[in-house]
Amino acid sequence: MIDLSADLLAAAEADVIGLAVIGADRKMLRKMGRLVEWLPATGADCCECMLLVGMEDEFAALAAGRRDNIALAGVRGASPGIAQPVTAVVLWNGAQSHYFVIAMPDFAARQVETLLGSERRARRLMEQQLEAASAEVRFASLARTRLRLARDLHDTLVHSIVALLTQIRLIRHFLTADPARVADGLATAEDAAASGLSRAREAIARLRMPDDLKLEPDVEGVLADFADRSGVAVSTHIDERARDGLRDCGLTVQRILSEALRNVQTHAEARQVTFRAFEEPAAAGRRLIVEIRDDGRGFDQAIPTPGHFGLIGMAEFAELVGGTCAVQSAPGLGTLVRIALPVAVPPAASRGVLAD
């Protein structure tokens, strides 16, 4: 009679563990518990079991004392009734000349599976978040493109049409008041139309360029061209420390400056424009400050101007690079455009500040 420990028998009867006894000839003698149902039927060679096929030499080595046990970790799927992984150990009882098998739930493998399941869920969640972020990026890109189209339309077609309307009204006035000046008015209107066409073509070319294309800005050139074209006196004051920031942020400054100068030429009736660029400390790094001031007639900021988007476009240009653009004006007091843009601090400079 095979003698099994009472504790092991009780655990097997409660399905806490599984027990099996195998004779020295590898024939199954007894099985107890669901956790050993994967073993062959009583009387069959245990190596006929799918999980023990080809292990005759291992059993012989175990009986001869050349190895301590045969361990089968993470066994699962061998029995329809076993959902969790099982670890099985085959031992040799030399005194009674038989093998016995102890099978128990493999909690480590189960924990690994739980962790893997959590990892899979986390990966799925991350994939969903990435898809959502990608959708947001696509939406932001579309919104940016729409803003860019709106700004370029305003900067080209709107200004050109306004110039043409002005000339048409002058020509209509000349028809009755001074017919001799009609030809001059038509020539000016033709020049305005040609200029508008050229700027529209430039805008179309810009739309065909990628957003990240780096154009070479020329802020001082824009100011000089404006002075030559308009006859308005321009004074320029650029601090030496601000030149690096002005170069890095030059494209944004140039776009806002061009719009501000168009407003000066079209509406302000100014005699003097002052351009200042300097840097000031910020909470993180430095900040480039650009001020464009004119001594024109100014305007009342409390009065809405429907259909005019130049000031909105200037603010949007600054916001695209994390900055701000504020306009201050009042009737008879001119206009101040103040741009504040973040300036990256070079790594060497930041280390020098920390070293101090």
Side-chain angles (χ1 to χ4, degrees), residues 202 218-234 236 254 257-258 261-262 265:
E202 291 175 1
D218 183 13
V219 172
E220 292 176 281
V222 170
L223 291 166
D225 289 344
F226 169 76
D228 293 340
R229 184 177 66 253
S230 66
V232 177
V234 176
T236 304
Q254 183 170 312
L257 173 62
S258 297
L261 294 178
R262 275 195 289 269
Q265 186 173 3

Side-chain angles (χ1 to χ4, degrees), residues 12 25 89 97 136 189 257 332 340:
D25 57 356
V89 180
S97 299
E136 291 178 0
L257 173 62

Side-chain angles (χ1 to χ4, degrees), residues 148-169:
R148 186 180 176 191
L149 284 168
R151 286 193 298 268
D152 282 325
L153 285 172
H154 175 268
D155 291 348
T156 56
L157 297 180
V158 172
H159 282 286
S160 300
I161 292 171
V162 167
L164 281 173
L165 283 175
T166 301
Q167 292 304 315
I168 290 170
R169 287 169 184 153

Side-chain angles (χ1 to χ4, degrees), residues 41 87 90 98 124 132 179 185 190 206 246 248 324 328 331 337 343 356:
T87 292
V90 183
H98 65 262
R124 285 196 298 271
E190 185 178 2
R206 286 197 301 272
L246 193 59
D248 296 340
T324 60
Q328 301 174 15
V337 177
V343 178
D356 293 341

